């Protein structure tokens, strides 16, 4: 009997990760190629197709009875409707790139070939393989260099009329506040991303002149959310306040999302979530504080069940299963 598998591709600014994923969300084999800086999309697609074919051959050596159902792709500014990557700031390919069409030329017999942005892919991964199995209404927040989100309503991703719905990370949290990576001021992403946590740490170090903090001698480029967590575990007051402030801001943002969508649960994914209660407890507390009474004590905030290392590949591959449901 043939075992059905999906291929997941995650296109990042530096590397493109590729994997073959089974129906349980296990990555059977994986590889990566550089995401190039040369800007030649045809050359990149040719390299990507070669890498996918090589991976398919290698997994066939392990198990000959495999059926490849399709390819799911997660990419910055990926548009599910059109299969295009549009004006992605961290990729060398400029303008609108017809990614699905170009890749389809190399894989004409694939049953499913679909593209979306990386946060949407993570949400579909959570629904197909993770903690959101059986849920029809939930939201996924990805906390990393930025803050991404995927919205699921009545069992389907919300893409909006143009394919780009779900940018909760660019909700204005503090009018006139910190400059976000997108250039605007005061967005949630500027406060609750891993880089936002670093900014909070340095602001507090200056505010309190905290030369005795475990974070005091770290450079901006050196400091990361893991170091802040390790300092918090040791009782460092600056690190503890970073988590308290980040949780307060995130809880406020999540309350807005609840008011818009009334989800069953909100899943948090990304490096900062490894801090456990340090981030989840203040986030839950402040979300509840800002909710209308009709929503209080109804919405769960849960850690993602996707494995950190493979989540991008697994999430992208889940697009294939979602496509085949239609």
């Amino acid at each position: 009997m043939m075992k059905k598998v999906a291929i997941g591709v995650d296109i990042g600014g530096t590397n493109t990760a590729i994997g073959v994923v089974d129906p349980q969300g296990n990555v059977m084999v994986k590889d990566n190629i550089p995401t190039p800086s040369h800007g030649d999309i045809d050359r990149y697609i040719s390299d990507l197709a070669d890498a996918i074919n090589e991976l398919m051959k290698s997994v066939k050596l392990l198990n000959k009875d495999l059926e490849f159902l399709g390819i799911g792709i997660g990419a910055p500014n990926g548009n599910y409707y059109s299969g295009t990557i549009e004006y992605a700031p961290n990729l060398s390919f400029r303008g609108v790139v017809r990614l699905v069409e170009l890749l389809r030329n190399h894989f004409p017999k694939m049953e499913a070939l679909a593209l979306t942005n990386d946060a949407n892919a993570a949400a579909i991964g959570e629904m197909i393989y993770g903690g959101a199995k059986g849920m029809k209404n939930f939201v996924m927040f990805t906390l990393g260099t930025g803050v991404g989100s995927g919205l699921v309503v009545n069992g389907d991703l919300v893409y909006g009329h143009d394919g780009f719905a779900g940018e909760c990370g660019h909700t204005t949290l503090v009018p006139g506040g910190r400059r976000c990576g997108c250039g605007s001021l005061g967005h949630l992403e500027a406060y609750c991303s891993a880089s936002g946590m670093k900014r909070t740490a340095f602001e507090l170090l200056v505010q309190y002149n905290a030369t005795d903090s475990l974070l005091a001698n770290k450079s901006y480029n050196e400091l990361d959310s893991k170091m802040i967590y390790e300092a918090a575990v040791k009782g460092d007051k600056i690190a503890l306040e970073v988590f308290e402030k980040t949780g307060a801001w995130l809880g406020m943002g999540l309350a807005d999302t609840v008011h818009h969508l009334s989800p069953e649960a909100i899943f948090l994914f990304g490096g900062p979530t490894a801090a456990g209660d340090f981030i989840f407890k203040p986030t839950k507390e402040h979300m509840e504080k800002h909710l209308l009474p009709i929503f209080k004590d109804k919405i769960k905030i849960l850690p993602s069940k996707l494995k950190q290392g493979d989540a991008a590949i697994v999430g992208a591959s889940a697009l294939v299963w979602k496509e085949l449901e239609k």
Side-chain angles (χ1 to χ4, degrees), residues 82-293:
S82 60
T84 54
I85 296 175
E86 303 185 20
Y87 307 100
N90 60 337
L91 299 180
S92 64
F93 315 117
R94 298 300 170 207
V96 178
V97 176
R98 303 182 325 277
L99 191 94
V100 168
E101 179 186 327
L102 293 169
L103 198 57
R104 171 69 73 186
N105 292 334
H106 292 267
F107 299 97
K109 294 182 180 179
M110 280 291 183
E111 193 172 347
L113 211 166
L115 162 76
T116 190
N117 73 39
D118 39 9
N120 284 340
I124 295 173
E126 200 69 49
M127 179 166 46
I128 300 295
Y129 305 119
K133 279 184 181 178
M135 289 188 187
K136 296 291 186 183
N137 297 275
F138 72 92
V139 178
M140 178 80 152
F141 271 77
T142 59
L143 311 180
T145 306
V147 174
S149 56
L151 317 178
V152 175
V153 174
N154 297 332
D156 287 314
L157 250 292
V158 175
Y159 288 110
H161 84 280
D162 61 355
F164 291 112
E167 291 290 352
C168 296
H170 295 284
T171 302
T172 299
L173 191 71
V174 181
R178 293 177 184 169
R179 188 167 299 280
C180 181
C182 71
S184 294
L185 300 178
H187 285 182
L188 179 72
E189 180 173 295
Y191 294 86
C192 300
S193 60
S195 51
M197 291 177 67
K198 289 204 302 184
R199 290 167 76 173
T200 302
F202 279 96
E203 287 175 4
L204 291 172
L205 286 167
V206 171
Q207 179 183 335
Y208 294 120
N209 190 26
T211 55
D212 58 341
S213 169
L214 295 172
L215 307 178
N217 295 321
K218 306 293 182 185
S219 70
Y220 186 83
N221 288 334
E222 180 186 6
L223 187 64
D224 59 24
S225 59
K226 184 180 178 184
M227 291 178 184
I228 298 172
Y229 165 65
E230 289 170 347
V233 169
K234 295 175 181 175
D236 186 89
K237 290 182 179 179
I238 297 295
L240 290 168
E241 190 164 342
V242 169
F243 280 111
E244 184 61 35
K245 282 183 170 291
T246 303
W249 285 317
L250 185 56
M252 193 185 306
L254 297 191
D256 284 346
T257 299
V258 169
H259 291 148
H260 296 154
L261 298 173
S262 187
E264 177 180 345
I266 297 173
F267 290 86
L268 302 183
F269 173 82
T273 66
D277 281 348
F278 284 113
I279 187 70
F280 280 88
K281 189 174 178 181
T283 299
K284 175 71 171 172
E285 176 188 335
H286 287 276
M287 181 185 79
E288 294 292 344
K289 179 180 174 182
H290 290 283
L291 287 177
L292 287 168

